[in-house]
Amino acid sequence: MSKDSTRPQGRRDQRRPGAPARPAATTPTRTPTPTRAPATTPTALRRHHHRPTPQEQFAERLLAVLSGRRPVHWMLGHTIGEAYEQLVQLAPRTPLRTRGTLPVVRTCGGFHPRPGVVEAFASIAAGEQVRAMAFRLEQGRDLRWRCAAVELGGTPAAACAPA
């Protein structure tokens, strides 16, 4: 086999003398995918583009502390007033800890009595057991939300303190 001196080395796209012409390469055409209008129903927005509300974020935080998954000091800077002391009293007993099933926030909601304040509630489920949690959030001048009070199952944290 002899080398063809007219053929440049390393170029595969050139045609050999006497070889049939190749058809021009065509780009496959793509069929455009139909575009869907963005979801505008409240349910669709919650499902796809839901940004957690302050009460949902705090319900998860409080659940983590009161179930023993996070230490109480994790809430420093996220509480004001007596809320931290309430958590200090509640957390050692881990009132939302369950055996076997991991507790989760099932529902969460809130009422805005005035701007910058949310009176919130959450139901915590673990298997067949459901517990209630209520808490108050207040927005500071820095626009950050902080927990101002916590109650479990209708019993104020102060009433749960050991005598």
Side-chain angles (χ1 to χ4, degrees):
M1 186 186 240
S2 67
K3 289 186 177 181
D4 186 9
S5 61
T6 60
R7 182 174 173 201
Q9 294 295 326
R11 302 270 323 246
R12 294 183 181 189
D13 58 336
Q14 287 191 347
R15 201 169 58 97
R16 287 179 290 142
R22 278 190 265 165
T26 60
T27 309
T29 57
R30 289 180 49 174
T31 53
T33 56
T35 57
R36 292 184 354 180
T40 56
T41 61
T43 307
L45 288 175
R46 265 185 261 128
R47 189 174 344 129
H48 297 292
H49 304 288
H50 179 65
R51 183 175 180 189
T53 61
Q55 60 262 27
E56 290 170 334
Q57 291 174 340
F58 272 86
E60 292 290 343
R61 283 184 160 278
L62 291 168
L63 173 60
V65 169
L66 296 173
S67 65
R69 287 185 283 158
R70 291 283 190 166
V72 180
H73 67 265
W74 188 56
M75 291 297 290
L76 276 172
H78 297 282
T79 56
I80 55 174
E82 296 180 19
Y84 187 75
E85 288 304 316
Q86 292 171 336
L87 288 173
V88 166
Q89 292 172 1
L90 285 170
R93 293 190 302 269
T94 58
L96 298 179
R97 177 179 280 174
T98 57
R99 293 183 185 197
T101 308
L102 187 66
V104 295
V105 175
R106 187 167 78 176
T107 59
C108 185
F111 169 71
H112 297 267
R114 60 185 166 88
V117 175
V118 178
E119 296 286 341
F121 64 88
S123 64
I124 310 299
E128 298 294 316
Q129 183 183 5
V130 179
R131 299 281 311 267
M133 178 171 55
F135 51 99
R136 179 182 175 95
L137 301 178
E138 295 180 6
Q139 194 173 33
R141 290 182 182 173
D142 59 357
L143 301 181
R144 290 183 51 207
W145 289 95
R146 291 177 179 84
C147 184
V150 181
E151 291 184 13
L152 290 178
T155 308
C160 295

